[in-house]
Amino acid sequence: MLFGLNNHVGLLNTMTDIITMLGIESSCDDTAAAVVQRINGKAHILSSIVVGQEILHQAYGGVVPEIAARAHAEQLDIAVENAISQSGVKLKHVDAIAVTSGPGLIGGVVSGVMCAKGLSAGLNKPLIGVNHLVGHALTPRMTNSVPYPYLMLLVSGGHCQFLAVFSATEFKRIGGTIDDAPGEAFDKTAKLLGLGYPGGPLVEEKSKEGDPTRFNFPRPLLDRPDCNMSFSGLKTALRRARDLLVKEKGGISYQDQKDLCASFQMAVADTLAEKTNRAIEVFKEMTDSKYFAVAGGVAANSVIKQKLETISQKHNFTLFSPPLKYCTDNAAMIAWAGIERYSAGLIDDMTLAARPRWPIDQKAEPMLGSGKKGAKA
Ligand code: KG4
Ligand code: ZN
């Protein structure tokens, strides 16, 4: 079944420039559904439901794919129902259904795609598969109406890459992590120090009273001129420092814990800042745009955000950081990316497949790394 823009209610809405999209996201540990409307180019987020699974994964210090997939299958219908009822829009009046069809944990992605296919078939509405990373990358357009082109840093528990964003379908990867994503490193650090999960906010909190200069952790790959990054060595350095303290003193004090957190956080922030500096230089060679946007859970970190702000100012760039609830995984960003695809006539059919790996820049060389959410590339 292939839908065109001309054979349903979308025609009317296209003429008045109103598009209403249901978005579904289930690629990691959040089950999310949202309704977003674009009216004369501007986004209106009518509802955004996110059902987290933190409590289910807490004991393991990370996301367990099987547990995540089962929880998505149980929660998706409820999330969609809530998103629709909160939006005030009737399900029959949405123009199309957008769903994350990759990359991510395959069980969760399959659950979302099956749910969207069911709705699409039952309602006779177009189905739009969205790349999760594209969802993150287009978020600044939804929240801040940032025009193309712009430079983007995606930095979360599963992703870390610099992208030049030219349109909803054209992305050039300028660099990325070759191993762990920074959020993953924050989570592992928290686990090593017995702080809990998710680690980022806990490590940031501890860092506030810690000395960031006490431990001289590595700033990996800064000796290389490119925009690639590596964060797995940092985690190993932290473990060594912790083990040394345990050996010398028989354990680590609360102050040691805070100093370890602060030193680790500063190493991540310094690395991201210096690589951002280089990514901006590369981006300047491509375009005259002076827009830089950041998204992903790690963008919540105030020390990191401050450093990115300083680098942006140095280059006379404007930094956009969407509100945290749209920086982290959510379905509004998927609905918005769906709107951009729909208005470009990019619609899928029932052959839409769930993809565990799906690089955003198809022409770029694959990155070496692979993390808890699949390919970083
Ligand atoms: O974007 P997100 O919600 O999900 C992924 O796509 O991964 O990001 C979650 C990640 C987690 O690894 C979490 O520890 C990290 O973002 N994070 C932070 C902070 N808040 C969340 N990392 C550093 N500082 C924070 N304040
Ligand atoms: Zn994400």
Side-chain angles (χ1 to χ4, degrees):
M1 182 175 7
L2 195 69
F3 295 95
L5 279 180
N6 293 335
N7 61 359
H8 63 99
V9 66
L11 175 64
L12 238 188
N13 287 350
T14 305
M15 283 178 348
T16 51
D17 199 20
I18 300 177
I19 298 174
T20 307
M21 188 70 56
L22 171 66
I24 295 173
E25 155 65 37
S26 56
S27 65
C28 188
D29 58 350
D30 292 304
T31 312
V35 178
V36 177
Q37 225 165 32
R38 192 180 75 180
I39 306 175
N40 294 327
K42 206 172 168 334
H44 298 263
I45 301 165
L46 304 183
S47 63
S48 179
I49 304 289
V50 180
V51 187
Q53 303 178 352
E54 272 163 24
I55 212 152
L56 299 177
H57 303 292
Q58 226 152 24
Y60 307 95
V63 181
V64 184
E66 283 307 317
I67 294 175
R70 210 165 303 153
H72 286 307
E74 282 166 11
Q75 290 295 327
L76 272 163
D77 292 2
I78 303 165
V80 168
E81 245 176 66
N82 287 342
I84 288 293
S85 72
Q86 279 189 23
S87 74
V89 170
K90 290 206 161 61
L91 194 49
K92 64 181 179 194
H93 290 147
V94 303
D95 288 307
I97 294 128
V99 60
T100 300
S101 52
L105 299 173
I106 194 64
V109 181
V110 167
S111 301
V113 168
M114 295 308 286
C115 174
K117 281 184 178 176
L119 286 165
S120 165
L123 298 162
N124 196 25
K125 303 276 184 189
L127 175 70
I128 300 168
V130 169
N131 180 313
H132 177 85
L133 303 175
V134 171
H136 279 304
L138 301 185
T139 300
R141 291 176 53 72
M142 173 176 77
T143 55
N144 300 78
S145 302
V146 179
Y148 294 122
Y150 54 93
L151 176 67
M152 179 86 210
L153 168 61
L154 276 188
V155 64
S156 71
H159 330 291
C160 182
Q161 51 189 311
F162 291 105
L163 295 164
V165 183
F166 294 100
S167 77
T169 52
E170 287 167 89
F171 304 89
K172 175 99 187 84
R173 196 185 68 218
I174 292 175
T177 182
I178 60 166
D179 42 53
D180 290 356
E184 203 171 348
F186 269 96
D187 293 338
K188 286 177 181 167
T189 292
K191 198 173 173 184
L192 284 170
L193 298 177
L195 295 179
Y197 174 84
L202 298 165
V203 170
E204 179 172 14
E205 196 49 42
K206 289 277 174 202
S207 299
K208 286 182 184 152
E209 291 169 12
D211 174 5
T213 60
R214 178 168 160 202
F215 299 94
N216 187 20
F217 290 136
R219 272 64 173 158
L221 302 190
L222 287 195
D223 53 330
R224 290 214 220 145
D226 61 29
C227 302
N228 289 336
M229 292 161 279
S230 160
F231 294 99
S232 68
L234 199 49
K235 169 195 70 202
T236 312
L238 183 123
R239 183 191 290 124
R240 278 209 199 99
R242 180 203 66 176
D243 290 351
L244 199 65
L245 286 170
V246 172
K247 205 169 144 198
E248 283 170 357
K249 309 198 301 185
I252 58 170
S253 67
Y254 284 120
Q255 194 54 49
D256 292 335
Q257 203 181 38
K258 290 171 183 169
D259 294 344
L260 283 165
C261 284
S263 302
F264 163 82
Q265 179 176 268
M266 198 51 80
V268 175
D270 282 346
T271 307
L272 285 171
E274 179 47 30
K275 291 292 179 172
T276 297
N277 191 33
R278 290 178 200 175
I280 289 180
E281 294 289 0
V282 173
F283 185 64
K284 278 179 173 169
E285 301 286 314
M286 297 174 169
T287 137
D288 291 333
S289 158
K290 292 207 173 290
Y291 298 127
F292 173 46
V294 59
V298 180
N301 187 288
S302 51
V303 171
I304 292 174
K305 209 149 51 178
Q306 187 48 51
K307 287 204 174 254
L308 297 181
E309 184 64 59
T310 306
I311 298 291
S312 302
Q313 280 171 12
K314 177 183 141 192
H315 290 276
N316 224 0
F317 268 52
T318 307
L319 173 67
F320 295 95
S321 63
L324 187 61
K325 61 181 172 181
Y326 302 123
C327 260
T328 53
D329 285 353
N330 68 90
M333 69 178 190
I334 302 304
W336 175 262
I339 287 173
E340 294 223 20
R341 289 187 73 79
Y342 179 75
S343 59
L346 298 168
I347 284 162
D348 292 286
D349 59 26
M350 287 297 163
T351 62
L352 177 69
R355 302 171 66 170
R357 299 197 166 230
W358 188 0
I360 193 168
D361 176 357
Q362 309 268 347
K363 293 192 196 111
E365 290 285 309
M367 301 291 287
L368 291 176
S370 97
K372 70 179 188 189
K373 285 178 73 174
K376 303 296 190 318

